Amino acid sequence: MSKVITITGGSRSGKSVLAENKAVEHGGRSVLYIATAIPVDEDMKERIRVHQERRDPEWGTYEGYHSLGEVIKNTEKDTILLDCVTVLITNILFEEERNFEELSQREVEDLEAQVMMELSDVIKGARDGNKTLILVTNEIGMSVVPSYRLGRIFSDMAGKANQFIASLSDEAYISISGIPLRLK
């Protein structure tokens, strides 16, 4: 039976460690880790290195953020850990050079539709393949509304994406200060 688990929280809240523990619990060593981060600077390279060192070397790894439903469909692994949804959103937003101050509402809606389609395909791939899917995402909407348009677009899109994946999840957790709380 398939299972979808959403794990959210703030930066450095312990959500990735919680997700990795859930992956071991559900899949043991039969885990595919989908890494959405792109090493664009030294800070991101260091974050990626820390995540890589913490992972079981027996786990499979896929680096990317497009056509993930197909990746899930084609893996022999029973458990998939996708870390993270908000980085996936960022990647889609910055695939092309855009002036976010001048984007029309229609263009914003088209970008949001791309994000939702990718997430829908990810969940469908897990459900159709009878796999456990663990989605890590950042809970960014608990702070001040950004004063610049790109920040508001991203914050709104992440909030909608989080609502979407949580609504389709069998379990949902938030990690605060390294302490997991089950929401669903």
Side-chain angles (χ1 to χ4, degrees):
M1 174 182 275
S2 71
K3 181 179 269 192
V4 177
I5 301 169
T6 295
I7 298 175
T8 190
S11 262
R12 301 288 195 226
S13 64
K15 61 192 175 296
S16 291
V17 171
L18 175 59
E20 291 160 8
N21 290 338
K22 290 283 180 193
V24 169
E25 177 185 324
H26 288 279
R29 295 189 144 190
S30 182
V31 175
L32 175 64
Y33 187 101
I34 298 177
T36 61
I38 299 171
V40 295
D41 59 26
E42 292 306 313
D43 289 338
M44 187 57 80
K45 287 177 186 174
E46 178 61 15
R47 283 176 180 254
I48 291 168
R49 185 192 64 74
V50 168
H51 280 250
Q52 289 170 335
E53 286 182 359
R54 203 170 51 220
R55 288 198 294 267
D56 186 321
E58 296 293 317
W59 289 5
T61 300
Y62 178 85
E63 296 176 353
Y65 64 95
H66 271 300
S67 304
L68 298 179
E70 283 298 310
V71 171
I72 292 168
K73 177 182 168 187
N74 294 323
T75 186
E76 75 284 353
K77 304 290 187 179
D78 298 321
T79 299
I80 295 89
L81 192 168
L82 187 151
D83 196 353
C84 97
V85 170
T86 43
V87 172
L88 180 150
I89 293 168
T90 300
N91 294 341
I92 290 172
L93 287 174
F94 287 105
E95 278 178 330
E96 298 173 16
E97 193 168 318
R98 295 179 169 91
N99 181 340
F100 288 93
E101 293 300 319
E102 295 181 9
L103 281 184
S104 70
Q105 187 57 37
R106 175 65 184 184
E107 289 169 310
V108 172
E109 290 168 1
D110 288 347
L111 285 167
E112 186 176 295
Q114 287 178 43
V115 167
M116 296 304 190
M117 182 58 71
E118 187 65 49
L119 294 173
S120 180
D121 288 348
V122 163
I123 293 170
K124 183 178 182 334
R127 294 287 190 202
D128 289 351
N130 199 29
K131 298 176 185 299
T132 297
L133 171 65
I134 302 163
L135 298 162
V136 177
T137 189
N138 289 284
E139 190 57 50
I140 60 170
M142 298 176 78
S143 63
V144 176
V145 174
S147 62
Y148 53 98
R149 187 150 191 254
L150 170 57
R152 290 189 302 273
I153 290 168
F154 175 73
S155 180
D156 290 351
M157 202 173 291
K160 290 176 185 176
N162 288 350
Q163 288 182 57
F164 176 71
I165 62 175
S167 75
L168 297 175
S169 293
D170 302 294
E171 297 176 18
Y173 298 84
I174 187 166
S175 184
I176 301 171
S177 301
I179 301 169
L181 301 171
R182 186 171 178 160
L183 303 172
K184 177 180 180 181

